[in-house]
Amino acid sequence: MKNREISLPPVPAVLLAIISVQCGAAIAKTLFPAIGAAGTASIRIGVSALILLLAYRPNFKAVTAKQWKIVIPYGLSLGAMNLIFYFAIEKIPIGLAVTLEFVGPLLLAIAGSKRLVDYCWVLLAAIGILLIAPWTNDSLNPIGIICALLAGAFWSAYIVLGGKISQIMNDGDAVSTGMLFAALLVLPFGFLENGLTNLTPKLFGMGVALALLSSAIPFTLEMKALGQLPPRTFSILMSLEPAAASICAFIFLHENLNFNEILAVICVIIASAGSTLTAKK
């Protein structure tokens, strides 16, 4: 049963994960004013960990020393990536934060590439990411910029470690165990910020929806994909995130796309489709 929870091919799994994350972002935006960045990250990761542990019921006694050495840093990088990114979007516009965060996966994609065509797709995706950034803002918070770049570094670690753990551990066991360690890292920050003391039944319900859409569902889908896709291909596919964020903002928040943002959407979609079509089987 555990091995048949998700049967999607890797590329559709990544695309569905992207859509799920962006729907969850709409919920997170409404939670931020009430419980803060750390509180939102805590409820998201904490509830996700609980859901996944109940769903997969991993046998910790059966986990080998080799698996522990990878799944623990995998979970910690997962938690740090989300917490630090939420700190970033507290300080700077989310479009710029997403763009800066992509520096990590893009560098990973370049490092793992051996063919000229792969560099072309990475360059095209980079052009799209640069186009979507609001570079005209002259009052950017340096702490927010640093947090976004740091989140990108942890994102790269998550991609690499996720690929490794998916080769030696059941998908469901890996993501549920990893999420447990992510929660252990993030939850103390939620209590220190006092965001969790403001929880109401309604906010908690929204937090559960956020956990499902932004963590439990997409991370499980991504774990499935990471076991079948090379890290560089996964990285470029994930460059659809800024485009998906812009489209969701237009649909749910009525934010119109300007010319540069439309060009960015086209660039990252072509780069993602091209990398998928030219990737070695």
Side-chain angles (χ1 to χ4, degrees):
M1 177 179 175
K2 291 182 181 181
N3 294 328
R4 297 181 181 179
E5 291 289 338
I6 297 174
S7 58
L8 284 175
V11 173
V14 174
L15 296 177
L16 185 57
I18 290 172
I19 295 172
S20 182
V21 166
Q22 296 308 322
C23 290
I27 297 176
K29 191 170 183 178
T30 63
L31 286 173
F32 251 56
I35 60 177
T40 302
S42 295
I43 195 69
R44 169 183 169 179
I45 299 298
V47 174
S48 296
L50 181 60
I51 291 172
L52 290 170
L53 289 171
L54 292 174
Y56 291 105
R57 300 181 183 277
N59 182 5
F60 296 125
K61 293 182 179 180
V63 180
T64 65
K66 181 180 180 181
Q67 292 171 331
W68 280 124
K69 289 180 181 179
I70 301 178
V71 76
I72 292 176
Y74 161 75
L76 294 177
S77 65
L78 177 60
M81 173 182 69
N82 285 277
L83 177 63
I84 295 173
F85 179 73
Y86 276 15
F87 285 149
I89 62 177
E90 260 194 332
K91 306 292 185 182
I92 61 177
I94 190 169
L96 178 56
V98 172
T99 301
L100 293 171
E101 189 185 25
F102 266 86
V103 171
L106 278 173
L107 291 177
L108 177 64
I110 294 173
S113 178
K114 297 180 180 179
R115 298 182 301 167
L116 179 61
V117 66
D118 297 320
Y119 285 94
C120 293
W121 300 130
V122 171
L123 177 61
L124 186 58
I127 291 172
I129 291 171
L130 290 173
L131 284 171
I132 209 171
W135 300 115
T136 55
N137 192 335
D138 297 325
S139 58
L140 297 175
N141 188 301
I143 296 177
I145 293 175
I146 293 172
C147 285
L149 292 172
L150 188 57
F154 280 111
W155 192 357
S156 297
Y158 160 72
I159 292 172
V160 174
L161 293 169
K164 290 181 179 180
I165 194 61
S166 66
Q167 300 297 325
I168 62 174
M169 196 173 184
N170 173 273
D171 292 342
D173 290 346
V175 74
S176 57
T177 304
M179 193 67 75
L180 172 62
F181 285 96
L184 292 176
L185 173 68
V186 174
L187 281 172
F189 290 92
F191 286 107
L192 287 173
E193 194 184 54
N194 293 323
L196 297 179
T197 59
N198 298 326
L199 275 180
T200 63
K202 180 181 178 180
L203 290 174
F204 182 76
M206 294 174 67
V208 172
L210 172 63
L212 286 170
L213 291 171
S214 295
S215 293
I217 293 174
F219 290 147
T220 303
L221 290 170
E222 288 173 12
M223 174 60 69
K224 182 69 175 180
L226 281 166
Q228 303 177 50
L229 291 175
R232 58 184 172 82
T233 302
F234 179 85
S235 297
I236 300 176
L237 277 173
M238 292 303 291
S239 67
L240 277 169
E241 288 278 9
S246 299
I247 293 171
C248 287
F250 173 74
I251 294 174
F252 298 110
L253 304 176
H254 306 292
E255 295 179 356
N256 295 321
L257 297 174
N258 60 36
F259 181 72
N260 282 352
E261 289 170 335
I262 293 174
L263 283 181
V265 170
I266 294 173
C267 286
V268 295
I269 288 177
I270 292 175
S272 297
S275 66
T276 302
L277 291 172
T278 60
K280 293 181 180 180
K281 187 173 181 181

